[in-house]
Amino acid sequence: MCTSALAVCSEAYFSAVAKMGDQALHTLSSRSLGDVLIQISETQRRLTAEMEGVFRWFQVEVLQAMEKNVKLDEEYIGGSRRVYELEVRNQAEALEKQLRRGAYRDSLENSDYMLYLRQSQQEILKEEERRYRFLAEKHCGLTQSILFLINKTGASLQQKAEGWKEKVNDTRGSRPRTPTHSDQEAQVLRFYLI
């Protein structure tokens, strides 16, 4: 499904970000940026996992339920159609007999046939409303779950993002430390070992 593809793709991406952060962590000039990248990767992984949980719930509660309901609806509609067509035919025949016997045409409006048609229409409209209500309720639940997640993580994530931005901006004005001879040798060794 789409959620598992999203999870796999995001895991691959954030693993790559974490790896780049780890590499930056072992440099002289970009240690603080490496730390930021690792923190971003870990935070985004947790957030993605929580979002995946929300969408997994949506898949089970809504998509699978709708698929099941569609199959049940097909059976129900097929059976209801046969019953309805048979009843309409019977009511129409009874009305036709009444009209042949001299019943007045204006009695058609109050006939069992017309009452049955009105009642059937009301039942159809109620069923249609029930189906739309189901969909709307489930989407309200999805929206509430997403809002809960945003409220739960939003303020913390905003603070982290602002902190990361400050750390990244701090690297713009700073000059890299001039490496010593032993720092350069260690850097060369790490480069070849990675």
Side-chain angles (χ1 to χ4, degrees):
M1 177 109 218
C2 223
T3 57
S4 60
L6 174 64
V8 168
C9 184
S10 67
E11 178 57 33
Y13 177 75
F14 291 119
S15 290
V17 170
K19 187 175 181 179
M20 290 168 51
D22 189 49
Q23 288 175 349
L25 201 57
H26 292 90
T27 66
L28 291 175
S29 62
S30 302
R31 281 190 179 131
S32 61
L33 292 172
D35 185 45
V36 168
L37 289 171
I38 290 171
Q39 289 177 30
I40 288 172
S41 173
E42 291 169 358
T43 302
Q44 292 295 338
R45 275 186 174 138
R46 283 192 300 272
L47 185 60
T48 300
E50 289 190 38
M51 285 299 292
E52 184 184 5
V54 169
F55 288 116
R56 198 175 302 123
W57 167 86
F58 183 74
Q59 178 186 3
V60 170
E61 287 291 317
V62 178
L63 300 179
Q64 289 178 358
M66 286 179 70
E67 188 176 318
K68 178 183 171 189
N69 286 345
V70 165
K71 290 176 184 174
L72 292 173
D73 288 349
E74 287 173 351
E75 294 170 7
Y76 174 78
I77 289 170
S80 295
R81 174 189 252 160
R82 287 186 289 279
V83 169
Y84 177 78
E85 288 172 350
L86 180 63
E87 187 61 31
V88 166
R89 196 172 346 169
N90 290 340
Q91 293 287 339
E93 288 173 5
L95 181 63
E96 191 177 319
K97 287 178 187 175
Q98 284 179 349
L99 291 174
R100 269 192 252 138
R101 281 185 275 157
Y104 295 106
R105 289 229 181 257
D106 52 319
S107 67
L108 175 66
E109 193 63 35
N110 296 319
S111 69
D112 289 340
Y113 176 69
M114 290 305 289
L115 291 174
Y116 178 76
L117 290 178
R118 281 191 212 106
Q119 181 184 7
S120 296
Q121 182 182 20
Q122 287 175 349
E123 288 173 11
I124 288 169
L125 294 175
K126 283 181 185 177
E127 183 63 22
E128 180 181 70
E129 182 183 32
R130 183 190 68 78
R131 292 161 201 251
Y132 287 124
R133 186 182 310 110
F134 168 82
L135 185 60
E137 286 173 346
K138 294 302 179 179
H139 279 280
C140 286
L142 174 65
T143 302
Q144 288 174 334
S145 295
I146 291 171
L147 284 173
F148 174 77
L149 184 60
I150 289 170
N151 288 334
K152 178 180 144 187
T153 60
S156 171
L157 189 59
Q158 185 174 2
Q159 287 175 346
K160 287 179 182 181
E162 288 170 3
W164 296 331
K165 187 175 179 180
E166 283 178 25
K167 284 183 178 180
V168 169
N169 286 337
D170 288 348
T171 64
R172 290 187 193 282
S174 66
R175 291 197 141 164
R177 181 173 70 102
T178 306
T180 64
H181 183 66
S182 60
D183 287 338
Q184 289 174 340
E185 287 176 356
Q187 187 74 12
V188 169
L189 283 174
R190 262 192 233 111
F191 178 76
Y192 286 109
L193 293 176
I194 295 176

